[in-house]
Amino acid sequence: MNWFDFAIIGIGIKPDVRLAEAVRRGVVEGFRFMADANHAYTTSDAFYVGRALSELDAYWFEEPVAP
């Protein structure tokens, strides 16, 4: 994926969830995937993304909000 792809997909919580869905579809069954947000979200956005990642069976959600 390159920067042009991000321009098409968009930036924000809904595009982030779509990217996570693509990762889940692309990895083999039973494979654990993790997401690192690097303090990118507000609290409410972090809950939104976190719930979606939980439904996708993500193993870890790193640094969703600033400390």
Side-chain angles (χ1 to χ4, degrees), residues 6-39:
F6 284 107
I8 293 170
I9 294 169
I11 296 175
I13 59 174
K14 291 183 180 180
D16 288 352
V17 169
R18 286 196 302 271
L19 287 170
E21 290 167 344
V23 169
R24 173 45 65 203
R25 284 191 306 272
V27 296
V28 296
E29 184 72 29
F31 184 85
R32 292 178 157 180
F33 80 96
M34 299 181 240
D36 188 345
N38 199 26
H39 308 151

Side-chain angles (χ1 to χ4, degrees), residues 31-55:
F31 184 85
R32 292 178 157 180
F33 80 96
M34 299 181 240
D36 188 345
N38 199 26
H39 308 151
Y41 300 119
T42 64
T43 303
S44 62
D45 288 351
F47 275 105
Y48 178 88
V49 174
R51 285 186 194 106
L53 289 172
S54 178
E55 291 175 10

Side-chain angles (χ1 to χ4, degrees), residues 52-65:
L53 289 172
S54 178
E55 291 175 10
L56 294 170
D57 199 30
Y59 179 69
W60 187 263
F61 186 26
E62 178 86 15
E63 297 181 327
V65 297

